[in-house]
Amino acid sequence: MLDTPNTLTPAINSKTIATGKKILTGDRATGQLHLGHYVGSLKQRVELQQGNQQTILVADMQGLTDNGNTPSKVASNILNVVADYLAVGINPAQTTICLQSGVPALAELTMYYANLVSIARLERNPTVKNEIQGKNFGRSIPAGFLTYPISQAADITAFQAQLVPVGDDQLPMLEQTNEIVRKVNALANSEILVECHPLLSNVSRLPSADGKSKMSKSLGNVITLDASDQAIGQAVKAMYTDPSHLTIDQPGQIEGNVVFTYLDAFHPDTIFIAELKKHYQRGGLGDGKTKQILTDCLQALIAPIRARRQRLIADKGYLTEVLKKGTEQAKEESQQTLDKVKTAFGLNLL
Ligand code: TRP
């Protein structure tokens, strides 16, 4: 998928990484988070927060890059995202949760880095290219949108992040970040910024129910982290299976069968799922049964998250307090990086 030289080192799995790393991730605050975020990144963040220095950014400014005319979509979702983080088990005592717009060094770094990146390079970024096609901007691409990889580089480098847990659609952002890191370090003639590495989960792209696209809030096909049992049941019922598996006794196909993709992603008992697959391939196992197993599994996963989320979202004061505290911490840390970068450009007169 990358049309730029792959300069990233191989992805590391959270099970094998050492502790003591600086970690940064973020999410656009344009909607509630969903199961795709959960398997793609949130679950890993909960595992990683122990023993590492983890910062999570609620990316409200990045959310504006395609919502310039609908900013309330961003403003109204900031606390939703914080509630999602806490509900899945991200612990503010272990992880710094901060708000992008509350950390001025991020916007400042973006302005400095913007001088090191060509428009042609931005236009070549495959993720941005895809998004531009999907969003029907026509000839009116917002400048902020085209340049958001630069702002994301600011997010990552501001905290000197070594690891970035993301889905594979974000790899081009990390490549661009490392190009900027190398340019700034060359200017400074010293390693003032560190290169980052992706941390991919085993499931980096959860398909939508029809199997044709990924689960995505902009496509409107999500199972949110507070989905009701009924909504989960309906979503599973609509999932694409094997269209040639017409009767229970016929052998069925696993490949492209969305129900099995989800079972692989979410079911805790891998041995049981391996047996189930064999049974399905042999024949004698109906889609009603496999869908019931998946429904039970997703309902069991979401029920406690939903309960915590409902309690949290009722206490906006607490959520705001968590964000404020994390943002203060992030401000201090990122200011140190900004000072070094300004010095690299020779702008340290005052
Ligand atoms: N681009 C990410 C998304 O679309 C959000 C994001 C913003 C991010 N800043 C980041 C991800 C820094 C990783 C690191 O969800």
Side-chain angles (χ1 to χ4, degrees), residues 105-106 109 113 153-161 193 333-335 337:
L106 300 178
L109 283 170
Y113 295 167
D155 299 341
I156 294 168
T157 54
F159 302 99
Q160 302 283 2
L193 299 179
E333 214 183 320
S334 55
Q335 185 61 42
T337 305

Side-chain angles (χ1 to χ4, degrees), residues 24-28 37 57 59 62 100 131 148 152 155-156 164-166 170 173:
L24 182 282
T25 48
D27 301 279
R28 286 186 200 178
H37 293 109
L57 191 78
Q62 191 179 112
Q100 192 182 27
E131 286 175 316
Y148 90 73
Q152 193 155 329
D155 299 341
I156 294 168
V164 186
V166 280
Q170 296 294 305
M173 307 302 162

Side-chain angles (χ1 to χ4, degrees), residues 35-36 39 206-209 215 221 223 236 239 257-267 294 297-298:
L35 280 184
V39 278
L206 196 64
S208 56
M215 184 179 276
N221 58 18
I223 301 176
V236 174
M239 279 181 188
N257 188 320
V258 177
V259 175
F260 281 100
T261 309
Y262 274 64
L263 284 170
D264 277 335
F266 294 102
H267 203 287
L294 177 60
C297 151
L298 292 181

Side-chain angles (χ1 to χ4, degrees), residues 27-33 57-82 84 98-102 135 145 217 309 313 316 323:
D27 301 279
R28 286 186 200 178
T30 49
Q32 280 181 237
L33 303 183
L57 191 78
V58 180
D60 56 347
M61 289 198 296
Q62 191 179 112
L64 287 179
T65 61
D66 60 346
N67 285 294
N69 299 319
T70 48
S72 65
K73 191 172 161 200
V74 176
S76 64
N77 276 303
I78 291 170
L79 295 185
N80 269 329
V81 172
V82 178
D84 286 329
C98 66
L99 185 62
Q100 192 182 27
S101 66
K135 286 178 200 289
F145 191 84
K217 54 197 163 199
R309 196 184 186 285
I313 206 71
K316 299 234 157 58
L323 200 53

Side-chain angles (χ1 to χ4, degrees), residues 78-98:
I78 291 170
L79 295 185
N80 269 329
V81 172
V82 178
D84 286 329
Y85 290 160
L86 302 186
V88 298
I90 290 168
N91 176 355
Q94 293 176 307
T95 296
T96 305
I97 302 174
C98 66

